[in-house]
Amino acid sequence: MFQGIKAVAFDIDGTIYASWRLFVRMPIYFFRHIIFFRDFNEVRKILRRSAPVADFYEYQARLFATQHKIDVALAKKEIQRICYDGLRPFFFKIKSFPNIYDTVRSLKAAGLKIAILSDFPPEQKDSVWGIRPLCDVCMSSEEAGALKPSKYAFGLLARRLNLKLEEILYVGNSVKYDIEGARNAGMKTAFVLTGWRRLFNRPLPQADISFKSYRQLCNIVLQ
């Protein structure tokens, strides 16, 4: 087993599926709600720099209400309607990366715990392409009161898995939020190569593993 790990945890967006598959499906929806997404994006930037809060969704709504110039109750409804519920249908026809389900099943069969840690509620993606039922822990970083790269999100994940941070391999596609966030928390990391890094087979120096396909990741982890 790779460096004595006991669990493999996955980000979702851009890690289990290619982000462009979402973007090409929602230009009309995005431009219809462009002011909302502009303000919501600014709020999420603030949240990534904030200390953990007891009620993440309340605090997020308060920040959005200020940014969007509406009351807090309406802000909460708008976030739920446009973002959490509104984006959900777009995921139904998106394909995951090849062999992701088979990889997770093989890791599980080898005795590893499986987890998901995403910045958005995993239930937004239903079964997460079949992976969610295989998970020992499935959570959003919002449950920790702080978005990635906060160490609190990764710490809560480790606590729920009942493992030490260094016993977990975190798989992600964002250098700042996934790889550096998990590494700074004490986890081992695996980076999905995309774009020019994939084309020229250039590993990410900050990651313990860089991989081009999930079959490759599976072979490395179970070596």
Side-chain angles (χ1 to χ4, degrees):
M1 207 71 69
F2 180 78
Q3 295 186 7
I5 64 166
K6 296 181 180 179
V8 181
F10 297 84
D11 169 53
I12 296 179
D13 302 299
T15 298
I16 290 176
Y17 72 93
S19 296
W20 66 264
R21 291 185 180 275
L22 172 62
F23 299 150
V24 298
R25 281 169 169 78
M26 57 175 292
I28 294 175
Y29 187 81
F30 174 78
F31 284 110
R32 187 185 302 158
H33 301 290
I34 191 167
I35 303 300
F36 169 90
F37 284 115
R38 179 201 66 189
D39 292 346
F40 187 70
N41 184 56
E42 290 303 311
V43 167
R44 299 289 278 201
K45 286 180 181 178
I46 294 170
L47 288 166
R48 292 192 190 280
R49 301 191 301 267
S50 302
V53 294
D55 190 334
F56 178 92
Y57 295 107
E58 177 70 21
Y59 184 52
Q60 176 176 255
R62 289 186 179 280
L63 289 175
F64 185 78
T66 301
Q67 187 76 20
H68 210 57
K69 296 180 176 58
I70 56 176
D71 66 60
V72 177
L74 180 56
K76 198 175 285 187
K77 289 180 180 179
E78 287 290 275
I79 293 170
Q80 186 68 41
R81 180 180 68 86
I82 298 174
C83 185
Y84 293 132
D85 294 338
L87 292 179
R88 185 169 185 167
F90 291 100
F91 294 103
F92 293 159
K93 294 184 179 180
I94 292 177
K95 293 182 179 180
S96 66
F97 281 121
N99 304 305
I100 176 68
Y101 175 79
D102 290 340
T103 292
V104 172
R105 189 172 58 178
S106 295
L107 296 173
K108 183 85 171 179
L112 291 167
K113 290 184 177 181
I114 302 297
I116 283 174
L117 173 63
S118 173
D119 273 338
F120 286 93
E123 55 268 23
Q124 186 186 49
K125 284 87 175 178
D126 196 27
S127 72
V128 194
W129 293 270
I131 295 173
R132 193 176 171 193
L134 299 175
C135 289
D136 297 274
V137 174
C138 187
M139 59 173 281
S140 68
S141 58
E142 294 158 321
E143 293 175 48
L147 301 178
K148 296 180 290 183
S150 171
K151 65 180 181 181
Y152 293 94
F154 297 103
L156 180 59
L157 176 64
R159 194 177 314 130
R160 290 186 177 180
L161 285 168
N162 195 27
L163 293 173
K164 298 176 182 177
L165 285 156
E166 61 267 26
E167 294 175 325
I168 302 169
L169 176 71
Y170 190 74
V171 184
N173 72 301
S174 168
V175 176
K176 182 176 181 180
Y177 303 143
D178 297 328
I179 304 306
E180 293 182 353
R183 186 189 65 175
N184 290 340
M187 291 181 179
K188 296 177 177 65
T189 58
F191 181 69
V192 185
L193 292 175
T194 58
W196 69 270
R197 284 192 177 277
R198 176 183 174 85
L199 182 63
F200 296 104
N201 195 27
R202 296 293 299 273
L204 182 72
Q206 300 97 306
D208 297 288
I209 298 172
S210 293
F211 66 97
K212 297 173 69 173
S213 74
Y214 275 97
R215 281 182 178 172
Q216 182 187 14
L217 175 66
C218 189
N219 291 334
I220 294 171
V221 172
L222 299 181
Q223 64 186 357

